Each structure stands twice: as C-alpha cells, then as structure tokens.
Amino acid sequence: MEHGHEIGSHPLAHFAGLTFNMDTLMMTWITMAIVIVLAIAATRRIEIRPRGWQNFLEMAVVALLEQVEANMGPKGQKLAPLIITLFLFLVVGNELGLIPGFTSPTNDINTTLGLALMIVVIVHVLGVKNKGFIRYIKHFFEPYIPFVIINIIEEVAKPITLSFRLFGNILAGEILLLVLGMLVPYFVPTLWLAFSVFVGVVQAFIFTMLSISYLSNSLQDDHH
Amino acid sequence: MVDLNGTLLAQIVNFLILVAILAKFAYKPLMQGLADRQQKIADSIDTAERERREAEQLKLEYKQQLVEARSKAQAIVETAEKLAEENKEEILRAARAESAHILQKAQEEVARERELALAQLRGEVVALSMAAATKIVKEKMDTELNASLVSDFIEKLDDQKIGGLPC
C-alpha cells in the first residue's frame, strides 16, 4: 500500500444496514481464488505417481487428514474438507499480505473471529448432536456444579484466543514489515519478511490444529 | 483497529462458499486419487508377495527335478557301464571264437596246399623219370654209347657245376 496508509483502518462500504471492510473482502476473494486455482490445479488430474504441485499439496493434505483421523476418528471424516480448506485458506491468506500491494485477509479481526466463531458453533452443534442436548448441557456442570463458571469462561475464551492469536500475529507482522522498511531499509525487512513467511505457516497450522482439537472434544463419546 | 462489523458475517459466508467449492471440485478427486493409489499399492504388494511365493515354489520344484534328473542320469550311466561291460565280454568271446576258427581254417588250408603240392611234385617226378627213361631207351644201348653218354653227362655236369673251368 501507499505511504501514509493508516494500518488497521479499512475503506468501508455500507450494504443492507451492515458495514463491510472492502479491502478485507477483496483480499479474501483473491485468497479464495488462489486457493481454488491451486487446489483444482493440483487435483485436476490425480495421478498414481504424484508430481510437482500435486505432490506438495498432497503432502499437506495427507498430513492434515492424518491429524483429523487421529484426533476425531471416523466421525471426523466429514469435517476433513472443512479442516483442509481452513488450512489452505489461512496459509494463502497469511502469505498474501507479504506480497507488496496486498494485505492479509487475516489481518482483520472480523475474518479471524468469524472463522473462530464458525468453528465454535460447529463444535457446539456437533456436541449437541453427538451427546444429546441434556447430556451436553450437563457436561458444563461437571465435575461439580460451580465449575460451570470455569467451563463457560473456557468456552468463551476459545474463539477469542483462537482469533486474536492469528489476527495479532499477522497484523503485527505486516506492521513491523512496514516500520522496518521505513527505519532500516533492505536487509532487516528482508529477514523479517522471511520470518513472516514462517510465522504465516505456523499460525495457520496452529489455528487448524486447535480447531481439530476443539472439534474432536465434541465428537468424543465417553468424555469424563 | 478492532471494530467488528458486517465483514465478520461476510467472511463466514465466504469461507463456507470456499469449503463448498473445494469439497466439490478438489476434495473428492483428491480422496478418489488417494484411495486409488492405496488400492494400487496394496495390489502391487499382494502381487509381489504372490509372485515371490510362486517363484519359491518353482525353485523348490526345480531343485527337486534337478535331484531327480541327477539320480536318473547316475542310473543311466551305471546301466550303460554295465551294458558296455557285458558287450565287451560278448565281443571278446566272439572275437576269440572267430580267431580260433580262422586259425583252424588257415591250418587246414595250408595242410591241403601241402598235400596238393606234394601230389603235383610226385607227378612231375614220375613224368621226368619217365621222360629220362624214354630218352635212354630211345638211344641204342651199347657200351660205347653208354660210355659217351656218361662222359657227355659228366662233361655237361662239369660245365654246369664248375662253370666251364679247364681242368
């Protein structure tokens, strides 16, 4: 973005009584387009012997599938597309902000909190479906009734920590990149850029793994 | 910086759309491909295992056949040797008999030739004697003549025997 761009502020658009951050939406659509192109390019002709990009994507997907299988069991198979998409979206989104002229869709709390809330909603829906409404409600009062406070705090903390961790890391990375670019040009920002690439992958991985972990909790039958 | 608005809902919708698209266009072929590959690998391993077992079986069979062939060859050689030995004895015996036969025949032949020669010689001697006798009888048998005859004979004898040297 141009000099004088105010970090964290967004060009706004109003539609149907709601306000939208247009840059975030734009970057989200670009990210979606990239993810779709990559995924379809990798899977258009699945070969028995994987080559090139297919090999790379497969490696990531198989690793995620293994995690899903290990943590959620056979019931989690239905959620595998969601998990894989989540990871791909977050990786591409995080790295997109490192390209000059682009920003990460994940540097907006709306994106991260939206995804985190979606995960939490799925967690609770699956919990109710899996355990039944009464048992599900009951498990907040275990092992003793006063624990309901801790349990509720925990449930509220889940989406907040999940979303703010990602948001903070990505936004901080982009801010620091701009600041370093202005203070000590060339060498130091390049180092930080390289580190940000790493951070982007790690944060995407953390978000995905925690989502798997939360989802697996609600899928387990004999908890406690 | 941290202001929540409609973007949150939009992002959830965006993400769910992305999930739907990927699930439909990428996830299914990918899982199909992975399943195919797994099947293929399992098949390959099964085939390899089966072929290995078959090869082992074949090897065992060949080994057994080799042992059999070797023992059979041994037996054949032994039989051939025995047969050759017998043949040798037979041939030797036949040769010996043949040689004895030939020898006997030759001896007989020689004996017969000798007899024949003797008979011929005897005949010739008789004829010669007869010729001499006739010659003598043809000449007039007087003393003078007899004497000259004898001396003639002796002279001839001398000529022949001594080579005509003067006495």
Side-chain angles (χ1 to χ4, degrees):
Chain A
M1 288 281 155
E2 306 261 327
H3 268 290
H5 168 71
E6 199 184 332
I7 294 162
S9 79
H10 301 283
L12 301 177
H14 301 277
F15 180 74
L18 290 169
T19 312
F20 296 99
N21 298 338
M22 279 321 288
D23 58 340
T24 305
L25 287 183
M26 279 294 184
M27 290 306 151
T28 305
W29 292 330
I30 292 170
T31 305
M32 283 166 72
I34 293 171
V35 170
I36 289 167
V37 167
L38 288 182
I40 289 178
T43 55
R44 194 186 41 180
R45 273 188 306 118
I46 290 281
E47 287 174 39
I48 295 297
R49 281 169 209 197
R51 276 186 304 142
W53 176 240
Q54 186 196 330
N55 210 346
F56 182 76
L57 195 79
E58 255 190 50
M59 203 171 69
V61 168
V62 168
L64 281 175
L65 281 174
E66 273 171 14
Q67 289 295 335
V68 169
E69 177 95 46
N71 283 304
M72 302 202 237
K75 277 185 197 170
Q77 291 301 320
K78 275 184 197 160
L79 289 170
L82 182 101
I83 298 295
I84 292 163
T85 310
L86 186 64
F87 180 72
L88 291 176
F89 177 79
L90 289 177
V91 167
V92 174
N94 290 349
E95 305 301 346
L96 188 71
L98 303 177
I99 302 168
F102 293 86
T103 56
S104 292
T106 43
N107 81 356
D108 188 334
I109 186 66
N110 288 295
T111 309
T112 57
L113 188 59
L115 293 177
L117 283 176
M118 180 194 73
I119 295 292
V120 168
V121 166
I122 294 172
V123 164
H124 290 294
V125 168
L126 280 177
V128 170
K129 254 177 87 173
N130 194 39
K131 293 181 175 136
F133 187 71
I134 306 292
R135 273 186 62 205
Y136 181 70
I137 294 297
K138 217 182 108 192
H139 108 272
F140 285 107
F141 296 92
E142 283 169 349
Y144 306 107
I145 291 173
F147 272 75
V148 69
I149 303 159
I150 295 171
N151 280 331
I152 285 172
I153 290 172
E154 191 194 337
E155 292 305 322
V156 172
K158 271 180 188 175
I160 293 173
T161 55
L162 200 57
S163 58
F164 273 83
R165 180 185 303 109
L166 181 59
F167 161 70
N169 270 286
I170 301 307
L171 184 65
E174 288 182 14
I175 291 170
L176 198 54
L177 193 59
L178 283 175
V179 170
L180 286 174
M182 284 184 270
L183 290 179
V184 274
Y186 308 121
F187 183 63
V188 179
T190 309
L191 280 184
W192 179 247
L193 191 66
F195 187 63
S196 290
V197 172
F198 174 69
V199 167
V201 175
V202 167
Q203 287 303 323
F205 183 69
I206 290 171
F207 194 103
T208 312
M209 286 310 296
L210 283 174
S211 301
I212 291 175
S213 155
Y214 294 159
L215 288 166
S216 71
N217 267 344
S218 64
L219 280 173
Q220 260 146 25
D221 289 321
D222 36 32
H223 201 54
H224 295 300
Chain B
M1 197 184 273
V2 184
D3 44 355
L4 297 173
N5 55 28
T7 317
L8 194 148
L9 293 175
Q11 293 297 64
I12 293 175
V13 172
N14 277 336
F15 182 74
L16 290 177
I17 291 169
L18 184 64
V19 171
I21 292 171
L22 285 194
K24 189 159 173 55
F25 293 109
Y27 184 71
K28 270 182 195 159
L30 184 69
M31 293 317 279
Q32 188 59 47
L34 289 180
D36 285 354
R37 181 174 317 149
Q38 208 153 17
Q39 188 59 44
K40 174 130 185 166
I41 289 169
D43 285 354
S44 299
I45 290 171
D46 284 352
T47 311
E49 182 64 22
R50 199 170 54 239
E51 270 166 12
R52 197 187 60 79
R53 219 170 285 147
E54 276 174 11
E56 208 130 285
Q57 185 72 28
L58 271 182
K59 192 178 150 199
L60 224 84
E61 262 173 40
Y62 286 153
K63 245 183 198 166
Q64 199 158 341
Q65 280 177 1
L66 202 67
V67 169
E68 272 174 24
R70 204 167 276 161
S71 71
K72 214 174 258 180
Q74 187 68 30
I76 287 170
V77 167
E78 271 171 17
T79 317
E81 269 175 3
K82 221 157 77 186
L83 209 69
E85 194 68 25
E86 277 171 12
N87 267 359
K88 184 181 142 203
E89 289 298 317
E90 186 86 11
I91 288 165
L92 272 180
R93 212 176 307 121
R96 243 175 241 136
E98 182 80 12
S99 78
H101 184 64
I102 287 169
L103 194 64
Q104 198 189 341
K105 249 171 119 179
Q107 277 171 348
E108 278 171 9
E109 188 83 2
V110 165
R112 206 164 49 244
E113 289 288 321
R114 191 164 146 268
E115 289 291 316
L116 204 66
L118 272 179
Q120 266 181 354
L121 202 63
R122 205 169 284 141
E124 213 132 301
V125 166
V126 168
L128 213 63
S129 308
M130 287 297 279
T134 317
K135 210 174 178 182
I136 291 166
V137 170
K138 255 186 194 164
E139 302 284 326
K140 285 199 181 117
M141 290 292 284
D142 55 0
T143 346
E144 207 176 332
L145 194 74
N146 205 6
S148 78
L149 202 72
V150 168
S151 71
D152 219 27
F153 187 79
I154 288 168
E155 238 169 81
K156 263 187 196 163
L157 193 78
D158 277 351
D159 263 6
Q160 279 168 354
K161 288 258 168 151
I162 306 164
L165 284 174
C167 286

